[in-house]
Amino acid sequence: MKNNIIIAGVPRAGKSTISHILSKRYGYQHVSMDSIIAGFEKCFPETGVSTYQGLSSMETLRVISGKMAPFIRAMLDSAEYDEFEPGMVLDMYQLLPEDFDKYLRGANCEIFYFITSDVTAEERFAIQKKYDTPKDYTFYKSDEELKEGAQYIVEQSLLIKEQCEKFGLKYYETARNREEVFEQFFSDLQKLKEDKIIYRKAELRDCHKLAELKGQVWKTTYRGIYTDEALDNYDVEKNTQIFEQICNNPDIELYLAESENEPVGLMTCGKPYKPIEGFFQEIGLLYIHKNFQRKGIGKNLIQLAKEQVRKKGFDRFVISVNRQNENAIAFYKKMGGIEIAEDQNQKRFCFSV
């Protein structure tokens, strides 16, 4: 499961309640995006992020969603919360599934929508009147305002439901049996948290996906280290052939870490690609998808390498790393690697088994 969660959907559908429970039960940092949007309205009106533009509620939703989605992507890509497990729970109204798919698909977050599309506007109004308390901002609105709001909440719920189904995103209907729906959500979340990572030897059929994974890791890890031209022109087909050659090499094992039948990490372990004095085994490649880092996958792959090297009768292996890849260097040191050499391009670490 990814490190951050977005709880999105229409007003008064349970988003804040769910977010508070996630914060209290699991330790997520609760971020109210409605408060951030209010800050944009007051301090940066020129951005157009405002609920007071003279537009219809549906048009306002579309405008703010289109502007806030790339903003949230920038927040997530900053990785400020990635050092914490879990990270943030973002509680947000104005984020349509179509904008999640356009701007946030592939980011380090899960998303769940809470809506009320299975009731009429009149039923929605009656439910709100029944459950509103003085703590709710809607408690102080007139019946006329609430009836108008109920109409657009149902309309927006129907739109979100349609888009969730189109883009394959999870949504929950909370107009009826809210507590049971909340229980179902937390049950689903627990299953997602228990998602198992499978480690196995790669086969020829895996090589294309492994080449794609390597390209994804390169573009997030080596931007600013390698040239943009080299990264942007990464050749998936050429690298597929390289992985196929590794698969067919009896002196090297190629392993992958898999989540939901998709590779999220890979490692090669075996005879050094180029002779290294004093070493007969190396980890040649070790790549973990950005969204699955800090989840123990790298640690488990190194442990797997130690077991394989030991079985072959050797007592150590070596890993080489780009000297500018500070995160990898810190990780290898944490895992017990001893720095034994350095040149203008690489550092080299020795691991005892």
Side-chain angles (χ1 to χ4, degrees):
M1 177 175 171
K2 297 179 181 178
N3 201 41
N4 304 289
I5 295 177
I6 299 175
I7 301 296
V10 297
R12 310 293 293 117
K15 301 189 308 299
S16 295
T17 300
I18 287 290
S19 299
H20 282 299
I21 295 173
L22 285 169
S23 177
K24 185 175 181 179
R25 184 180 298 179
Y26 295 106
Y28 286 91
Q29 301 293 313
H30 183 194
V31 178
S32 170
M33 293 305 298
D34 288 346
S35 297
I36 293 176
I37 288 173
F40 271 96
E41 289 178 340
K42 184 174 182 179
C43 299
F44 306 107
E46 67 276 10
T47 63
V49 178
S50 174
T51 54
Y52 307 102
Q53 303 183 60
L55 303 175
S56 70
S57 62
M58 190 69 80
E59 290 171 328
T60 300
L61 171 61
R62 291 185 182 277
V63 169
I64 296 180
S65 175
K67 292 179 180 292
M68 293 305 296
F71 175 81
I72 295 170
R73 181 61 188 251
M75 287 178 63
L76 294 169
D77 285 351
S78 74
E80 287 295 324
Y81 280 83
D82 284 358
E83 62 184 285
F84 303 104
E85 292 185 15
M88 299 180 287
V89 54
L90 282 73
D91 168 9
M92 185 172 190
Y93 161 33
Q94 287 126 331
L95 178 61
L96 287 170
E98 63 184 7
D99 290 316
F100 175 87
D101 186 74
K102 181 177 180 180
Y103 296 104
L104 288 157
R105 181 75 73 177
N108 191 13
C109 68
E110 309 286 351
I111 190 165
F112 305 94
Y113 281 90
F114 290 79
I115 58 175
T116 55
S117 72
D118 59 347
V119 292
T120 65
E122 291 76 16
E123 289 172 319
R124 183 69 175 77
F125 167 74
I127 292 168
Q128 192 161 318
K129 288 291 287 184
K130 180 179 179 179
Y131 291 106
D132 263 0
T133 72
K135 293 183 179 180
D136 300 311
Y137 73 93
T138 49
F139 183 82
Y140 303 97
K141 289 183 176 291
S142 68
D143 284 358
E144 293 289 328
E145 291 174 306
L146 291 178
K147 288 178 180 179
E148 181 181 356
Q151 182 66 43
Y152 77 69
I153 285 174
V154 171
E155 290 174 357
Q156 292 178 3
S157 291
L158 288 167
L159 174 65
I160 290 171
K161 177 182 178 180
E162 177 186 342
Q163 291 190 2
C164 280
E165 292 175 346
K166 177 180 179 181
F167 296 110
L169 302 176
K170 188 74 174 178
Y171 66 89
Y172 295 86
E173 297 276 6
T174 62
R176 300 185 176 92
N177 304 317
R178 177 174 290 203
E179 295 305 317
E180 289 86 346
V181 174
F182 284 1
E183 288 179 12
Q184 183 61 54
F185 164 74
F186 284 109
S187 175
D188 293 344
L189 184 70
Q190 190 60 38
K191 290 177 182 177
L192 191 60
K193 282 181 171 292
E194 293 171 355
D195 175 38
K196 301 298 183 183
I197 301 296
I198 297 172
Y199 301 88
R200 63 175 176 86
K201 276 191 176 183
E203 302 174 14
L204 287 173
R205 62 184 172 86
D206 300 309
C207 290
H208 185 78
K209 285 188 175 181
L210 292 179
E212 291 179 330
L213 172 62
K214 178 184 173 182
Q216 292 166 356
V217 175
W218 270 40
K219 290 174 183 178
T220 56
T221 301
Y222 293 112
R223 188 73 67 180
I225 297 177
Y226 297 158
T227 66
D228 288 345
E229 181 180 5
L231 297 176
D232 294 337
N233 293 324
Y234 174 85
D235 192 330
V236 172
E237 296 307 321
K238 179 180 178 180
N239 278 273
T240 298
Q241 294 174 10
I242 293 173
F243 280 115
E244 289 173 348
Q245 292 170 7
I246 295 173
C247 268
N248 289 322
N249 188 334
D251 295 322
I252 300 175
E253 286 82 34
L254 173 59
Y255 293 95
L256 61 83
E258 195 171 55
S259 174
E260 297 183 347
N261 297 317
E262 290 294 326
V264 297
L266 68 88
M267 175 188 72
T268 61
C269 176
K271 184 178 178 179
Y273 177 67
K274 294 181 180 179
I276 302 174
E277 185 176 355
F279 289 90
F280 301 95
Q281 295 288 290
E282 75 166 347
I283 288 181
L285 303 175
L286 180 58
Y287 297 128
I288 312 295
H289 192 285
K290 178 182 177 182
N291 293 345
F292 288 83
Q293 293 175 7
R294 297 184 178 89
K295 296 182 182 297
I297 296 174
K299 178 181 177 180
N300 290 338
L301 286 172
I302 286 182
Q303 184 59 40
L304 179 59
K306 288 183 177 182
E307 293 170 3
Q308 297 305 311
V309 170
R310 190 182 303 116
K311 286 179 181 178
K312 295 177 182 178
F314 300 102
D315 62 0
R316 59 181 178 171
F317 61 87
V318 68
I319 297 178
S320 299
V321 58
N322 188 294
R323 60 181 297 177
Q324 296 184 60
N325 190 347
E326 296 178 356
N327 288 336
I329 291 169
F331 170 70
Y332 293 145
K333 289 180 178 179
K334 183 179 179 181
M335 291 296 103
I338 305 299
E339 185 176 337
I340 57 172
E342 179 178 4
D343 59 29
Q344 63 180 358
N345 296 316
Q346 292 185 323
K347 290 178 180 283
R348 189 166 288 161
F349 290 86
C350 172
F351 284 80
S352 297
V353 302

